[in-house]
Amino acid sequence: MTKTRVPKLYFSFLIVVLGCWTYYMFSTQSFQLYFKHYYAVLTMVFGSFIAGSSPEGSAALAYPIFTLLLKISPAIARNFAFAIQSIGMTSASLLIIGLSIKVEWNYIKYVTFGGIFGLIFGTYYIVPLISPPLAKLFFVSLWLSFGLVLWSENLKPKREVFDAIQHFAKSDMARLVFFGFIGGMISSIFGTGINIFTFCLMTIYYRINEKVAVPSSVIIMTIETLLGFFIHATVIQDFQREAFEMWLVCVPVVAVFAPLGAFVISKVSRKGIAAFLYFILIVQFFGAMWVIKPNPLQLSMCLIVLILGLSTFLYLSRMQRQSV
């Protein structure tokens, strides 16, 4: 009879987080914030589930909804994303580790290393140069291009996948660090990005099973988001009051729904995970088009990003690393 695993790390974290949250909310009489920020709670019910069940952080849903529909500034949306993912994705990661869900540790180690430097570089040198509308459109266009290529790859009747990088070499270390660096820069803009950007490399180039790549990407984004939260809250000190209030009301939601997503997706087939990801990417792209109503220049930028993204990911798919 199989022994049922109890994710003690996750439950310990949950008890500490909810205990501290409850004490703070009662001592500061902050429950009225739910009337002010109910939209954030509703968004994060779905966003945190997506964070635990896909290679996209909760910001993949929260960022476009906050910036496009609710007209919240990208800076607030980004800082909120780092803060709330520090709870939700940490919860999901602890559940993944506690349940011994299969992950690719070489992927996690080397991408995280590159991502740390990419996040710091992007925070100081890239973010100040990006205008809000272009940031939103770049976000949805790049990920749609990946979704289209992954879909075409999964149409192949005998697509071979692996649970780990085959014959790991120094060239793979360098490649993962480089992609981690670029992914870190993307995360510095949106509060998420390194997870799905490197997930692209893992599933298309290394042909890693989505059931392994997804939980691995969750752990990577957890480390990245903790660093991002630390930078903005204590180093730059630009963590806004509105971001803090939204974070406060969403803490108990994400502490439960993000690990729930990680648990559910561990029971879903590889192709089911891919189909769920296609759906997310398509909805966020056309949602952005509907809300922003981009002008001809912005549409041209979307098209350029889409073409460059398709070219990059198709190149990776054609140059798939040999397994032998």
Side-chain angles (χ1 to χ4, degrees):
M1 187 174 179
T2 304
K3 185 178 178 181
T4 303
R5 287 185 176 275
V6 178
K8 295 178 183 178
L9 281 175
Y10 164 65
F11 284 118
S12 299
F13 179 77
L14 183 65
I15 290 169
V16 171
V17 166
L18 293 185
C20 294
W21 176 85
T22 302
Y23 173 78
Y24 182 87
M25 292 296 283
F26 275 107
S27 63
T28 59
Q29 297 292 301
S30 296
F31 284 100
Q32 75 275 5
L33 291 175
Y34 278 96
F35 294 103
K36 182 180 179 183
H37 299 296
Y38 65 89
Y39 57 84
V41 178
L42 293 175
T43 300
M44 293 314 300
V45 168
F46 300 100
S48 57
F49 184 87
I50 289 173
S53 61
S54 79
E56 297 205 272
S58 57
L61 183 69
Y63 186 90
I65 287 179
F66 286 177
T67 59
L68 301 176
L69 290 178
L70 302 173
K71 308 303 181 185
I72 293 172
S73 79
I76 292 175
R78 178 205 60 226
N79 287 354
F80 167 76
F82 279 134
I84 203 61
Q85 288 173 162
S86 70
I87 301 295
M89 300 202 81
T90 299
S91 298
S93 291
L94 292 175
L95 187 76
I96 288 166
I97 293 169
L99 293 178
S100 296
I101 295 172
K102 187 181 288 293
V103 296
E104 220 296 350
W105 284 108
N106 280 324
Y107 167 35
I108 293 169
K109 286 187 298 184
Y110 294 106
V111 163
T112 298
F113 180 76
I116 290 172
F117 294 99
L119 179 67
I120 295 171
F121 179 83
T123 298
Y124 288 99
Y125 299 105
I126 303 297
V127 171
L129 305 177
I130 304 293
S131 70
L134 289 181
K136 301 165 193 174
L137 293 171
F138 175 85
F139 181 90
V140 298
S141 301
L142 180 63
W143 304 143
L144 179 64
S145 68
F146 161 67
L148 291 171
V149 174
L150 183 62
W151 171 72
S152 70
E153 284 294 299
N154 278 324
L155 287 178
K156 296 177 180 178
K158 292 184 179 180
R159 181 181 176 231
E160 188 179 23
V161 296
F162 306 98
D163 286 346
I165 296 174
Q166 304 296 293
H167 310 293
F168 192 79
K170 288 184 179 180
S171 60
D172 298 306
M173 293 183 198
R175 188 175 294 111
L176 292 175
V177 170
F178 174 74
F179 269 72
F181 182 81
I182 302 300
M185 289 195 292
I186 296 172
S187 292
S188 71
I189 301 169
F190 306 111
T192 188
I194 188 173
N195 39 353
I196 188 168
F197 184 71
T198 56
F199 178 87
C200 303
L201 177 71
M202 298 305 289
T203 53
I204 292 177
Y205 180 74
Y206 287 109
R207 290 171 286 169
I208 297 297
N209 186 339
E210 286 90 342
K211 287 180 70 68
V212 175
V214 166
S216 302
S217 72
V218 169
I219 294 175
I220 289 169
M221 193 61 231
T222 299
I223 300 168
E224 192 83 350
T225 204
L226 288 170
L227 176 61
F229 188 19
F230 174 79
I231 289 173
H232 286 282
T234 65
V235 181
I236 301 177
Q237 297 184 349
D238 65 347
F239 199 76
Q240 308 88 344
R241 178 69 190 178
E242 186 176 0
F244 173 74
E245 290 179 353
M246 291 193 298
W247 174 76
L248 204 56
V249 298
C250 292
V251 163
V253 171
V254 302
V256 173
F257 278 89
L260 177 63
F263 176 76
V264 169
I265 210 67
S266 70
K267 306 299 181 183
V268 177
S269 70
R270 180 182 70 80
K271 290 195 173 181
I273 295 172
F276 180 52
L277 183 58
Y278 308 149
F279 174 76
I280 296 170
L281 298 173
I282 290 170
V283 167
Q284 70 183 20
F285 177 80
F286 287 104
M289 294 298 106
W290 176 66
V291 174
I292 293 179
K293 297 178 176 58
N295 59 40
L297 182 62
Q298 292 170 332
L299 274 176
S300 299
M301 192 279 293
C302 287
L303 185 60
I304 290 170
V305 171
L306 197 56
I307 292 172
L308 289 175
L310 284 170
S311 302
T312 300
F313 299 131
L314 281 171
Y315 175 77
L316 287 176
S317 70
R318 300 292 181 267
M319 297 294 293
Q320 286 179 346
R321 184 176 183 275
Q322 297 301 308
S323 59
V324 291

